[in-house]
C-alpha cells in the first residue's frame, strides 16, 4: 500500500509528525486500497485538535470544513485531504447525530465509532495496517459486518442501514447474519434520517452491480420509503409473457440497464402500478390496463417526497409513462417520438424497453426484433441528419419574419405544420419547397 500512497498524503503525515502529532489514512480509502481500487478521496485522522492542525498547516491552503466535528481540509498538490481529529461519539438521542463529539488521543476510539469493519481500518506507512475488527478478512470474504453490536450501531445512526445495503449492492458482498437481522429490525428508524441522505444512498444502491439480490432480499427496508413495492412481492402475473413475479421482473430489469441513476430509477418504478391495476379474464390470463399511467403517478409522488431533482423526476416520469408503448419500425413513427422526447430521452426509452423485454419470458423474440429494427432506422436518421425537430427544418423563424410573418405564435404554428409534413414525408425538407409551402399557408 505504501508505494501507492500519493505523495501529498505522505507529506501531510510527515508534516503532522514534525509538529508532534500522529497521522493515519482511514476509512473508505483504506478499504478501497484493499479492494484493489484507487481511492477517490483521502481521509486522515490525527490526535491533533483542529486548531493544532490549522496551525501546523498555516503555510498551506486550509479549509475549515467542519471545525465542530473536528474536520479540516488541506489542499496539497491538487489533492484535497480531509483531516479529522480522532473522535469518540457519545450518546445519540435522536438516532442520527451524536449529542457530543469528543476528541480522543486514541486512534482505537476513532476506529470503534465507524460503521462497518471494512470501513474501520487505518493505515500508516511505518506502522502498517491497523485493523482491530477483522476488516481485511471481511473484505477477503466479501462480508459486510457492523463494528460492535449492530442494533446499537443502527440505533445510533440509521443511515448505516442503507449504507450497508448500498455497499452490498455496490461491491456484491454478503451481509453478515446479525447485521442483516438488525437491518430488518431497525428499518423503521430510517424515518428519522434526512431525505436527501436517504435518496443519495438509494441511488447508489440502485446503481450497484448486485442490486437485484439486494432489492429482493431487502425490499421491506426500501419499502419504508417506497411502500408501493410491497404488493409487488411474489405477485403472479398470470401471463405467458412473464416468467417472474412483478418484483423479480423489476429487479432483473434494473440489472439489465446501465447503472445510470435516472435509468435505474425508471426501471424500479416502471411496473409499480401493476398490482393495483390487475384484472384477469375468463381464461384466467392477467391484464394490467393503465398500469403505466399509475406507475408514473406513483413514481412522481415518491420522487418528489424523496426530493429528487426536477430533471431526474421529469426523465423518469416520461420513461415510466411510455415504457410499454408499441413502437413501429418506421422512420415516421421514430421521428414523431424524437420530436416529442428529444433524441437522448428516446434513446433512453429504447434502453428501458430492452431492459423490460429482456426480463420477461425468454423466446419472445418478435418484440426484440422490432426494437432492433427501430435502432437501425434511428442510426440512419441521425447519421443522415434527417429532420425531426423545428431546428432541423430547412427554414427557420427568421425566414418567416423576412416573409412578413411577425407574430411569434403564428411563426411557431407554421413551423409545426412544416415539421409535421416533413416527418410525414409529404414535403421534402428543402428551402425552396418549404418557402413555397409557407406562401401557400399565408394565402389561406
Ligand atoms: P464512499 O466514499 O465510497 O461513499 P465511504 O465509506 O468512504 O464510502 P464516506 O461518507 O466517505 O463513505 O465516509 C468515510 C468513512 O467515514 C467511512 O469509511 C466510515 O469509516 C466513516 N463513516 C461514514 N459514514 C458513517 C456513518 N454513518 N457511521 C459511522 N461511520 C461512518
Ligand atoms: Mg469516502
Amino acid at each position: 500500500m505504501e508505494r501507492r500512497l500519493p505523495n501529498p498524503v505522505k507529506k501531510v503525515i510527515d508534516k503532522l509528525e514534525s509538529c508532534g502529532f500522529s497521522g493515519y489514512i482511514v476509512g473508505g480509502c483504506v478499504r478501497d486500497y484493499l479492494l484493489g481500487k484507487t481511492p477517490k478521496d483521502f481521509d486522515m485522522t490525527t490526535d491533533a485538535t483542529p486548531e493544532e492542525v490549522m496551525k501546523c498547516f498555516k503555510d498551506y491552503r486550509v479549509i475549515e470544513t467542519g471545525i465542530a466535528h473536528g474536520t479540516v481540509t488541506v489542499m496539497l498538490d491538487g489533492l484535497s485531504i480531509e483531516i479529522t481529529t480522532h473522535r469518540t461519539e457519545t450518546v445519540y438521542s435522536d438516532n442520527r447525530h451524536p449529542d457530543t463529539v469528543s476528541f480522543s488521543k486514541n486512534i482505537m476510539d476513532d476506529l470503534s465509532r465507524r460503521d462497518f469493519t471494512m470501513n474501520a481500518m487505518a493505515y500508516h506507512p511505518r506502522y502498517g495496517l491497523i485493523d482491530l475488527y477483522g476488516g481485511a478478512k471481511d473484505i477477503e470474504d466479501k462480508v459486510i459486518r457492523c463494528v460492535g453490536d449492530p442494533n446499537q450501531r443502527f440505533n445510533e445512526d440509521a443511515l448505516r442501514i442503507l449504507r450497508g445495503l448500498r455497499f452490498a449492492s455496490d461491491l456484491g458482498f454478503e451481509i453478515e447474519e446479525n447485521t442483516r437481522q438488525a437491518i430488518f429490525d431497525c428499518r423503521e428508524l430510517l424515518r428519522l434520517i434526512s431525505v436527501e441522505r436517504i435518496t443519495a444512498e438509494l441511488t447508489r444502491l440502485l446503481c450497484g452491480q448486485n442490486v437485484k439480490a439486494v432489492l429482493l432480499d431487502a425490499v421491506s427496508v426500501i419499502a419504508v420509503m417506497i411502500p408501493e413495492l410491497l404488493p409487488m412481492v411474489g405477485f403472479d402475473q398470470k401471463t405467458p409473457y412473464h416468467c417472474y413475479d412483478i418484483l423479480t421482473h423489476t429487479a432483473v430489469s434494473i440489472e439489465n440497464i446501465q447503472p445510470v441513476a435516472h435509468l435505474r430509477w425508471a426501471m424500479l418504478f416502471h411496473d409499480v402500478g401493476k398490482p393495483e391495476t390487475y384484472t384477469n379474464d375468463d381464461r384466467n390470463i392477467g391484464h394490467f390496463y393503465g398500469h403505466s399511467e399509475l406507475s408514473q403517478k406513483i413514481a412522481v409522488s415518491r420522487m418528489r417526497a424523496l426530493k429528487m431533482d426536477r430533471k431526474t423526476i421529469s426523465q423518469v416520469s416520461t420513461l415510466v409513462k411510455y415504457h410499454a408503448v408499441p413502437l413501429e419500425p418506421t422512420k415516421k413513427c421514430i421521428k414523431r417520438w424524437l420530436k416529442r422526447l428529444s433524441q437522448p430521452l428516446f434513446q433512453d426509452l429504447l434502453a428501458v424497453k430492452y431492459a423490460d423485454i429482456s426480463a420477461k419470458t425468454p423466446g419472445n423474440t418478435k418484440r426484440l426484433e422490432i426494437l432492433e429494427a427501430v435502432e437501425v432506422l434511428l442510426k440512419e436518421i441521425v447519421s443522415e441528419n434527417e429532420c425531426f425537430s423545428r431546428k432541423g427544418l430547412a427554414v427557420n423563424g427568421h425566414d418567416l419574419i423576412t416573409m412578413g410573418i411577425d407574430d411569434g405564435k403564428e411563426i411557431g404554428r407554421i413551423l409545426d405544420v412544416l415539421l409535421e409534413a416533413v416527418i410525414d414525408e409529404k414535403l421534402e425538407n428543402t428551402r425552396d419547397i418549404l418557402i413555397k409551402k409557407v406562401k401557400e399557408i399565408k394565402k389561406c
Side-chain angles (χ1 to χ4, degrees), residues 268-415:
L268 179 74
F269 283 128
H270 80 283
D271 276 351
V272 75
K274 269 192 166 179
E276 231 183 284
T277 51
Y278 176 75
T279 52
N280 71 21
D281 62 21
D282 46 15
R283 289 175 305 145
N284 201 25
I285 302 276
H287 300 281
F288 302 91
Y289 299 116
H291 82 273
S292 302
E293 289 72 18
L294 183 59
S295 297
Q296 181 199 24
K297 222 173 112 197
I298 296 169
V300 169
S301 83
R302 287 298 161 207
M303 289 189 290
R304 286 199 181 130
L306 287 167
K307 298 196 180 157
M308 285 166 63
D309 64 278
R310 285 153 81 95
K311 185 171 176 203
T312 307
I313 295 179
S314 147
Q315 288 170 321
V316 173
S317 162
T318 305
L319 293 172
V320 171
K321 178 175 176 190
Y322 295 127
H323 78 269
V325 291
L327 294 180
E328 263 172 51
T330 64
K331 281 194 173 178
K332 276 188 210 176
C333 168
I334 297 167
K335 286 178 187 173
R336 285 223 178 82
W337 280 105
L338 287 169
K339 175 178 174 241
R340 185 184 293 177
L341 301 187
S342 82
Q343 191 191 331
L345 202 56
F346 180 65
Q347 265 164 336
D348 288 343
L349 182 65
L350 294 184
V352 164
K353 284 177 145 300
Y354 264 118
D356 185 16
I357 295 169
S358 314
K360 297 184 186 181
T361 311
N364 187 359
T365 47
K366 198 162 156 256
R367 282 165 187 245
L368 284 176
E369 280 164 13
I370 292 176
L371 271 184
E372 273 155 24
V374 168
E375 292 256 27
V376 170
L377 291 172
L378 173 64
K379 277 209 184 99
E380 224 177 272
I381 293 170
V382 173
S383 69
E384 300 290 317
N385 235 336
E386 292 180 36
C387 168
F388 53 80
S389 69
R390 280 191 195 176
K391 232 175 55 205
L393 284 171
V395 295
N396 60 29
H398 289 297
D399 298 317
L400 301 202
I401 294 171
T402 336
M403 293 170 75
I405 307 164
D406 50 13
D407 175 38
K409 262 201 191 138
E410 182 63 2
I411 291 175
R413 193 188 66 83
I414 295 177
L415 288 176

Side-chain angles (χ1 to χ4, degrees), residues 53-246:
V53 175
M54 304 267 292
K55 215 164 136 199
C56 182
F57 287 91
K58 64 179 184 318
D59 298 332
Y60 294 76
R61 247 191 87 200
V62 174
I63 303 165
E64 299 175 33
T65 329
I67 291 275
H69 292 96
T71 306
V72 170
T73 304
V74 175
M75 310 292 292
L76 199 66
D77 303 341
L79 211 65
S80 76
I81 302 163
E82 280 204 351
I83 308 176
T84 306
T85 308
H86 302 324
R87 297 193 302 198
T88 49
E89 283 155 7
T90 46
V91 188
Y92 291 70
S93 47
D94 64 355
N95 307 90
R96 47 186 166 157
H97 299 117
D99 293 352
T100 52
V101 175
S102 40
F103 300 136
S104 164
K105 280 274 154 203
N106 189 340
I107 187 161
M108 313 292 174
D109 288 343
D110 183 274
L111 295 180
S112 72
R113 70 160 181 97
R114 293 179 182 267
D115 50 5
F116 302 108
T117 58
M118 64 181 180
N119 290 338
M121 290 178 282
Y123 176 79
H124 184 283
R126 278 199 313 283
Y127 313 138
L129 188 70
I130 302 176
D131 177 13
L132 306 175
Y133 303 101
K137 168 127 196 349
D138 281 343
I139 286 180
E140 207 181 301
D141 297 343
K142 300 185 187 296
V143 170
I144 295 165
R145 183 195 313 269
C146 278
V147 171
D149 172 31
N151 262 294
Q152 187 193 330
R153 304 316 308 281
F154 294 141
N155 269 279
E156 288 167 0
D157 177 2
L159 188 71
R160 291 169 186 160
I161 294 171
L162 281 190
R163 279 176 56 87
L165 297 179
R166 180 255 283 190
F167 284 119
S169 174
D170 203 20
L171 303 173
F173 281 21
E174 292 290 323
I175 301 175
E176 176 275 329
E177 195 42 44
N178 291 326
T179 299
R180 180 174 171 276
Q181 192 54 52
I183 283 180
F184 290 111
D185 294 345
C186 299
R187 64 184 188 271
E188 288 295 326
L189 295 172
L190 282 168
R191 299 189 192 283
L192 303 168
I193 300 297
S194 88
V195 74
E196 291 84 354
R197 297 174 78 201
I198 297 241
T199 303
E201 290 299 337
L202 281 178
T203 296
R204 295 185 71 176
L205 189 164
L206 285 173
C207 290
Q209 50 161 319
N210 205 29
V211 48
K212 181 180 117 201
V214 173
L215 176 60
L216 291 177
D217 185 38
V219 61
S220 65
V221 180
I222 301 165
V224 172
M225 280 72 62
I226 309 170
E228 292 84 357
L229 295 176
L230 282 182
M232 296 161 74
V233 178
F235 196 114
D236 181 350
Q237 311 201 50
K238 295 232 168 27
T239 137
Y241 295 121
H242 277 281
C243 55
Y244 300 121
D245 65 80
I246 303 177

Side-chain angles (χ1 to χ4, degrees), residues 27-29 31-32 40-41 43:
C29 55
R31 176 199 69 222
D32 286 348
K40 297 191 296 295
D41 44 33
D43 293 328

